[in-house]
Amino acid sequence: ARVVVLLSGTGSLCAALLAATDDPGYPATVVAVGSDRDAEGLEHARRRGIATFTCRLRDHADRTAWDAALAAAIAEHRPDLVVSAGFMKIVGSAVLARFGGRLVNTHPALLPAFPGAHAVRDALAAGVEVTGSTVHLVDAGIDTGPVLAQREVPVLPEDDEARLHERIKTVERKLLVDTVARLVTGHAGNDTEEPR
Ligand code: GRF
């Protein structure tokens, strides 16, 4: 299956997915990696000779034009699945019309808890002892689409945001790799861990 990854940052989740595709038995290949900026994460693709694209909001008249351009840039690679892995923009109706239902996002919290761009900081501030990672289908809301998979991650007393986020990312990487494989082989069953 053809996967396009969208990212905005370091791209460690994208790197994990790329590493998984090194296994010929993995049922997906990453055909392109796109970003809304010249993100360092694009380097993971460049190093492998995988196509990259950048779709900057400021290069377009408004969000609608940006959204349409992003949809076209993704479509050029004929993806079966689009994976938002640390992509920090909210996609619009053009992207959703084209890829809704096969566009997933990974979020560093147990949605619906702590949606938005500061999930790890918010979980720490809330003083929860357990947070986690969620892979969900993207819908028109912010981190509101149907949950496909979740994994719990403990919060430790001496955690700061960076430490907790790194622990979550370790879990996120595996959850994303496993969920993408399940989705493209058609067993998109629900993989949420039974609450302990
Ligand atoms: C991940 O925790 C993702 O859930 C969040 O941003 C982080 C991206 O990390 N939206 P990286 O850029 O893949 O290292």
Side-chain angles (χ1 to χ4, degrees):
R2 300 171 61 86
V3 173
V4 167
V5 178
L6 302 176
L7 55 77
S8 300
T10 52
S12 73
L13 298 182
C14 178
L17 193 53
L18 287 169
T21 63
D22 287 342
D23 170 355
Y26 191 73
T29 53
V30 176
V31 295
V33 178
S35 182
D36 57 313
R37 53 188 284 270
D38 188 19
E40 62 180 287
L42 294 174
E43 196 47 37
H44 298 299
R46 290 193 189 110
R47 259 205 300 276
R48 292 166 174 261
I50 293 174
T52 62
F53 59 87
T54 304
C55 195
R56 287 182 192 76
L57 187 52
R58 69 163 180 266
D59 293 345
H60 299 276
D62 55 26
R63 286 193 76 88
T64 305
W66 171 78
D67 180 49
L70 180 60
I74 296 168
E76 256 179 61
H77 301 283
R78 296 178 284 107
D80 299 299
L81 182 71
V82 184
V83 175
S84 161
F87 186 61
M88 300 313 273
K89 287 279 189 308
I90 304 302
V91 297
S93 54
V95 169
L96 287 173
R98 208 95 184 244
F99 303 105
R102 51 201 182 101
L103 167 59
V104 301
N105 180 49
T106 173
H107 183 78
L110 292 176
L111 291 175
F114 312 120
H118 307 292
V120 179
R121 185 191 313 169
D122 296 346
L124 268 180
V128 295
E129 292 182 1
V130 176
T131 184
S133 165
T134 301
V135 179
H136 64 96
L137 283 171
V138 173
D139 66 7
I142 296 182
D143 300 326
T144 51
V147 170
L148 295 173
Q150 288 192 309
R151 279 272 184 290
E152 293 184 351
V153 174
V155 181
L156 303 181
E158 67 284 1
D159 273 344
D160 60 13
E161 184 177 347
R163 235 178 91 120
L164 176 53
H165 201 167
E166 197 40 50
R167 187 175 316 115
I168 296 171
K169 282 191 191 182
T170 306
V171 168
E172 257 185 304
R173 291 175 193 126
K174 177 158 178 23
L175 193 64
L176 183 63
V177 166
D178 295 350
T179 305
V180 166
R182 266 192 312 114
L183 285 172
V184 299
T185 49
H187 315 306
N190 210 331
D191 184 35
T192 46
E193 210 165 300
E194 290 311 309
R196 285 198 202 113

